[in-house]
Amino acid sequence: MPRFARCVFAVFLAVSCLSSSLACQAAAPETAAAAFILMEAGSGRVLASRNETQERSIASTTKIMTCLVALEHSELTEKVTVKREHLREGSSMYLLEGETLTMEELLYGLMLPSGNDAAECIAAHCGGNGGSAQFVRWMNEKAKALGMEHTSFANPSGLDEMGHSSCALDMARLAAYAMQNPTFARIVSTRTASVGTRTMTNHNKLLASYSGCVGLKTGYTGDAGRTLVTCAERGGMRMIAVTLHDGSDWADHAALYDYGFSAYALSSGAKKGEAYGSVSVDGQSVSAVAAESFCYPVSESESLSVRAELPQTVSAPVRKGQTFGTLVISCGETEVGRVDLVSARSVQAQETKSETSKNKSLAEKLWQFLSAK
């Protein structure tokens, strides 16, 4: 074979091998959304996204925050009476003026059929003398506390209004936090619920059509278009998907989850109670163990590494669980987490020679005194 031909063939083989290698790695799916994100909830790692910080109308996905704030400012058994001013246009749980429901019943009406009337009723009740305005202030305070830098709430329902917007990244962070609340998670995973003579069905179709889906919230307004926030779990891994202004949201969420669960798996960076080094405590070797476990989603081509940052020596006394240092966890060259390394046991301070001699002298003097008597 001529030298030139051999070179071309070699280049062809190299390109072919590279193409085959790339083909083996699943690619993030395209979506019809104006903005979207797929996030692993535990770590906050973004697995796929586009325009994730773009501020847009979010419609009734607003009610994720409404439900969360209500849970923090009321009891499920509280009685709430419906007033005429609570009744709103759009999606409804069909409240009647003058009827009384529990806060829990209103929360089901808020999250399953997406009742705007329930949102207003909840906000007015929880806000007390400050009414809905106070409740919205709490919503914005909570958003700030969660680091939702591109979010501003103007009402509890999500109806289009100036100054009411968020982004896919902020909504994913909110959803991941909210799903840690057991009551919230129970409500949004419920397919149907009865309140009096009402039978309410959850608008989230993925609860029935996608294996592992455990919530969350749908939304639609003319300005926002179709918005959707969902949560799915498989193999111990919890993911959050958010799409904003997406006419194919059901299919897009399913495709995003298929990609996420096939391309990533949780890897253990630290196990609670496992030793990651030792420290000399007055000459005694004491194990430094992880104070908590840490997991992170990685692809097949990635792996986690750890580095223990510990002092060589520590003076006694040391109590069990006392912080010695830090375990730094990295994925490739990127630091992804830190875990405290703590003492596996307690170590008491030892008496010095001078202290021992002093105590011995005092004991002898006491014995001499008692003997003299």
Side-chain angles (χ1 to χ4, degrees), residues 239-259:
M239 292 194 186
I240 303 290
V242 180
T243 50
L244 302 179
H245 208 291
D246 184 357
S248 300
D249 48 9
W250 304 119
D252 285 343
H253 278 237
L256 285 169
Y257 286 134
D258 285 346
Y259 161 72

Side-chain angles (χ1 to χ4, degrees), residues 127-331:
N129 293 333
S132 294
Q134 175 59 58
F135 190 88
V136 172
R137 281 193 289 272
W138 287 334
M139 292 172 70
N140 284 309
E141 288 172 3
K142 191 67 178 180
K144 185 176 181 180
L146 294 176
M148 299 171 66
E149 298 178 353
H150 301 276
T151 298
S152 176
F153 294 110
N155 62 67
S157 64
L159 288 171
D160 294 333
E161 184 173 344
M162 185 70 69
H164 191 97
S165 62
S166 186
C167 68
L169 175 61
D170 283 1
M171 293 305 292
R173 287 173 173 165
L174 171 62
Y177 176 83
M179 287 299 290
Q180 295 177 46
N181 184 307
T183 303
F184 179 95
R186 169 170 57 84
I187 292 171
V188 298
S189 65
T190 301
R191 295 190 191 182
T192 61
S194 297
V195 175
T197 59
R198 303 175 181 87
T199 298
M200 302 178 297
T201 301
N202 199 319
H203 287 178
N204 181 7
K205 295 180 181 179
L206 288 186
L207 286 173
S209 64
Y210 192 85
S211 176
C213 183
V214 291
L216 263 156
K217 190 70 191 72
T218 61
Y220 175 81
T221 66
D223 186 38
R226 292 177 62 87
T227 62
L228 182 61
V229 179
T230 61
C231 177
E233 297 177 349
R234 285 186 187 175
M237 184 160 56
R238 173 180 285 182
M239 292 194 186
I240 303 290
V242 180
T243 50
L244 302 179
H245 208 291
D246 184 357
S248 300
D249 48 9
W250 304 119
D252 285 343
H253 278 237
L256 285 169
Y257 286 134
D258 285 346
Y259 161 72
F261 288 122
S262 63
Y264 291 86
L266 283 183
S267 178
S268 175
K271 293 182 180 179
K272 183 177 180 179
E274 187 168 301
Y276 292 90
S278 62
V279 174
S280 176
V281 180
D282 290 352
Q284 300 183 53
S285 180
V286 178
S287 295
V289 301
E292 59 185 352
S293 296
F294 179 89
C295 292
Y296 193 78
V298 297
S299 66
E300 287 188 1
S301 61
E302 297 174 325
S303 62
L304 299 182
S305 61
V306 299
R307 184 182 76 254
E309 295 181 344
L310 292 167
Q312 290 185 341
T313 61
V314 171
S315 297
V318 166
R319 70 182 186 280
K320 182 179 181 180
Q322 179 177 319
T323 301
F324 276 161
T326 306
L327 186 69
V328 181
I329 304 153
S330 299
C331 181

Side-chain angles (χ1 to χ4, degrees), residues 74-83 86-87 92-110 113 117-119 121-122 125 193-200:
S74 68
E75 298 294 332
L76 295 177
T77 55
E78 287 181 21
K79 299 291 186 179
V80 185
T81 300
V82 180
K83 298 180 181 179
H86 300 156
L87 308 183
S92 175
M93 70 173 292
Y94 302 103
L95 293 174
L96 300 174
E97 181 183 355
E99 72 172 317
T100 299
L101 298 88
T102 65
M103 177 58 67
E104 184 173 18
E105 289 172 331
L106 286 170
L107 290 175
Y108 275 104
L110 175 78
D117 48 0
C121 192
I122 289 168
H125 173 80
S194 297
V195 175
T197 59
R198 303 175 181 87
T199 298
M200 302 178 297

